[in-house]
Amino acid sequence: MSSYWAYIAGFLLSLTSSLFLTRWLRGHAPRLRLMDQPRGSRHLHAEPIAMVGGQAILGAMFLSLLLVTWLAGPQALSTPGSQPIIAILLGALAMNVLGTWDDLSELSSIVKLAVQVTIAVTVFYGGVRLLSVELPFVGLVEFGYASSLFLTVFWLVGITNAFNLVDGADGLAGGAALFATVAMFVVSLVFGQYLAALVLVVTAGAVLGFLHFNFPPASVFLGDSGSLFLGFLLAGLSVAGSTKAATAVAIAIPVVTFGLPVLDTALAVVRRFLRGEKITKADRGHIHHRLRDLGHSPRKVALILYAACGLLGLVSLLFISENGGLIGLGFLVIGLAVSFGVQRLRVPELLEVRQLIDRGIRQRQVISSNLAVREGAKRISETRSLMEAFRELEDALRGSPFDAGELWLTEDYLGSATTELSPEVELLDGGVLWRWRKVPLAEIDPAVCWEVTLPVAPAGEWVGRITLRRRLGEEMPAEVRVVADLLLPEMTRAVDRFERAVEESAVGCEAVAS
């Protein structure tokens, strides 16, 4: 049988088998105890759903491979490079068993990781190894035995768990696997890995049949048995493909192809690190959760992420070419797409990091403003009249991010002595002694501003307040602390200093008159 017909036959056999097995296993799932019960806020379904997708995909794939091998003859499995492919299939089968065990018993993360590492190490000894890579500006980098073992196991276990993490919404993990499979099928044909291509095309048929029941609203889930199986299978096949071309594209192609699971996993690690939580702790912060929180329906979430996976799959094909321009274009498209997508998700932890970076960028402006405030505080301490103190306060605030300010004192404290000491100071409405603004009045309406209010409390006795305002929509400036710590307390002391001076002057005048 020619490879062309073997691919078509394998795909159709796998698709048909998957449709039949998924439907049949769905009916027997309650008796097999493979039902996903809705628990907690992370589960988006309200009714129990069958978790038999992994068994259906596995059964359809191996049935189709056996039939195609029988039609093509035993020599199909004796082609060059077949041993690593067989090792990958056996390792994926072991992952399916582990996933089924987890679906039934909910294993601890330590146990699952230990078994995954054991399977990955076994497959490494079966011939699935990352041996070298050629990096731009560096050249060929060959890995020693220990480095090869570590990197291979890290890659296999990492991608396996990435697919497991992304399996949190209807149709998502299966769709990501389908697009990755199609892209890797093309790459395998280009690199002449025909047995790997056959496994991939059979995988595509099995996943597509399963997605008929898993697309929102899903009646069947993939389960850990399916996500671990598919993740390990695709990760292993990508390693086998890298042995054909020791170039940068050998690593770039699978990384880009698995872009969605890799990005979701990376964001999960970053989120939990920033929160100070365990990396293995489950949450509702994954990409599909964020899209649901933004108001998208389950079907729309699936379509959005399918489009992302399709784009990444197409871009990964650019790396097949040795044309540096195409590779550069691929990196540019990926960078822009990831940046735009993450920004639209509005991940809270990343928004905090962005604000931190923004503060670092504008640090020079903050330093300049703080220096002006420090110098203004010193000048206020040396003023000889209240009006002079107000002018120094305004000069200090002019370079700050604040847009307006006012000083209010109680009637009992204000009295009439202040104006006697500084005749140019006018008492404004409602006890406001000083009012300042550097933007039009309409823009600093208190109703559309946030404000910082600090007490005027000389000697610990509250006698008024100083309020600074900024237009709504602007973030809290970093300069608030230095203004609160230095400038406004100095102004409070200035008010108290002039008030006490007037009182002493009034007492002296009364004594002379008597």
Side-chain angles (χ1 to χ4, degrees):
M1 178 184 291
S2 68
S3 60
Y4 176 75
W5 286 108
Y7 297 144
I8 295 177
F11 177 79
L12 293 178
L13 282 170
S14 185
L15 174 62
T16 305
S17 301
S18 179
L19 288 169
F20 172 78
L21 285 173
T22 305
R23 183 183 294 275
W24 184 80
L25 287 170
R26 182 181 62 180
H28 291 78
R31 184 166 57 86
L32 298 171
R33 296 190 298 116
L34 289 172
M35 299 294 292
D36 187 24
Q37 305 292 336
R39 301 181 302 275
S41 61
R42 293 189 303 112
H43 290 76
L44 304 179
H45 58 286
E47 300 293 333
I49 302 292
M51 293 188 297
V52 294
Q55 287 75 16
I57 292 173
L58 172 68
M61 281 184 57
F62 278 86
L63 178 62
S64 302
L65 286 172
L66 287 173
L67 288 173
V68 171
T69 302
W70 177 72
L71 293 173
Q75 67 276 8
L77 294 178
S78 60
T79 58
S82 61
Q83 180 181 339
I85 303 300
I86 295 174
I88 291 167
L89 289 172
L90 293 176
L93 175 61
M95 283 291 182
N96 180 271
V97 174
L98 172 64
T100 303
W101 186 13
D102 187 39
D103 289 335
L104 291 170
S105 305
E106 295 189 6
L107 302 174
S108 70
S109 57
I110 298 298
V111 171
K112 285 193 293 185
L113 181 61
V115 176
Q116 289 170 1
V117 170
T118 302
I119 295 172
V121 170
T122 304
V123 170
F124 173 84
Y125 284 110
V128 182
R129 303 181 179 185
L130 284 168
L131 299 174
S132 61
V133 62
E134 186 174 338
L135 300 175
F137 311 110
V138 177
L140 184 65
V141 178
E142 295 185 355
F143 303 131
Y145 180 84
S147 299
S148 177
L149 174 61
F150 172 78
L151 292 173
T152 303
V153 171
F154 180 82
W155 173 258
L156 293 175
V157 174
I159 295 300
T160 298
N161 285 289
F163 272 91
N164 185 238
L165 284 175
V166 84
D167 183 30
D170 295 352
L172 181 51
L178 179 63
F179 283 101
T181 300
V182 172
M184 290 176 61
F185 170 72
V186 176
V187 173
S188 297
L189 290 180
V190 172
F191 288 157
Q193 293 192 318
Y194 301 114
L195 182 56
L198 177 61
V199 173
L200 287 163
V201 78
V202 166
T203 304
V207 172
L208 186 60
F210 160 75
L211 282 175
H212 175 71
F213 302 92
N214 186 239
F215 191 76
S219 62
V220 176
F221 284 167
L222 194 58
D224 283 354
S225 61
S227 60
L228 296 180
F229 171 77
L230 287 175
F232 188 86
L233 177 68
L234 295 177
L237 292 174
S238 69
V239 173
S242 70
T243 60
K244 277 287 185 178
T247 65
V249 301
I251 298 300
I253 289 174
V255 169
V256 176
T257 303
F258 305 144
L260 178 62
V262 169
L263 177 62
D264 190 50
T265 302
L267 288 176
V269 171
V270 170
R271 285 197 326 270
R272 293 163 191 174
F273 172 78
L274 292 175
R275 286 180 176 270
E277 298 174 344
K278 292 182 178 180
I279 301 299
T280 56
K281 181 181 179 181
D283 58 24
R284 283 196 81 260
H286 292 282
I287 293 176
H288 52 275
H289 290 128
R290 293 298 306 160
L291 290 173
R292 286 296 304 275
D293 291 343
L294 291 174
H296 299 297
S297 67
R299 187 178 293 264
K300 189 173 181 181
V301 168
L303 293 176
I304 290 172
L305 296 179
Y306 284 179
C309 291
L311 174 63
L312 291 169
L314 288 174
V315 171
S316 71
L317 299 181
L318 295 178
F319 292 90
I320 297 176
S321 170
E322 295 294 334
N323 187 316
L326 287 178
I327 294 177
L329 176 62
F331 279 121
L332 177 62
V333 171
I334 294 168
L336 292 175
V338 170
S339 176
F340 177 76
V342 171
Q343 184 178 6
R344 292 297 298 272
L345 289 175
R346 299 189 64 78
V347 179
E349 294 85 355
L350 296 185
L351 292 177
E352 290 298 321
V353 173
R354 180 180 175 182
Q355 286 192 356
L356 186 63
I357 294 174
D358 288 343
R359 292 189 198 108
I361 293 174
R362 61 184 294 266
Q363 195 61 35
R364 183 177 177 183
Q365 177 185 347
V366 172
I367 291 173
S368 176
S369 176
N370 287 349
L371 288 175
V373 167
R374 291 179 183 276
E375 293 169 358
K378 183 176 183 299
R379 290 195 301 270
I380 290 174
S381 67
E382 299 170 351
T383 54
R384 291 184 242 176
S385 72
L386 195 55
M387 195 61 191
E388 186 181 351
F390 288 157
R391 283 196 295 266
E392 295 296 347
L393 178 61
E394 292 174 8
D395 286 343
L397 291 174
R398 194 163 287 115
S400 76
F402 295 104
D403 298 315
E406 66 181 30
L407 168 65
W408 175 88
L409 298 173
T410 63
E411 292 184 4
D412 291 342
Y413 182 77
L414 189 61
S416 59
T418 302
T419 54
E420 292 179 9
L421 182 64
S422 300
E424 67 271 33
V425 175
E426 297 181 6
L427 182 62
L428 305 177
D429 54 282
V432 175
L433 192 62
W434 166 80
R435 181 175 288 141
W436 162 82
R437 66 174 184 269
K438 66 178 179 182
V439 297
L441 182 61
E443 296 185 25
I444 53 172
D445 183 343
V448 290
C449 285
W450 61 256
E451 58 186 37
V452 175
T453 300
L454 296 171
V456 176
E461 180 183 357
W462 184 83
V463 297
R465 63 175 180 266
I466 296 177
T467 301
L468 297 177
R469 294 192 176 95
R470 195 177 190 192
R471 286 165 289 184
L472 194 65
E474 302 288 345
E475 68 173 37
M476 181 77 71
E479 297 88 335
V480 168
R481 182 168 182 176
V482 71
V483 168
D485 289 346
L486 294 177
L487 189 64
L488 300 189
E490 197 59 58
M491 192 63 209
T492 297
R493 284 190 286 271
V495 170
D496 183 57
R497 185 168 64 249
F498 296 129
E499 183 72 14
R500 283 188 287 103
V502 170
E503 289 177 356
E504 292 172 0
S505 176
V507 170
C509 291
E510 290 177 1
V512 171
S514 63

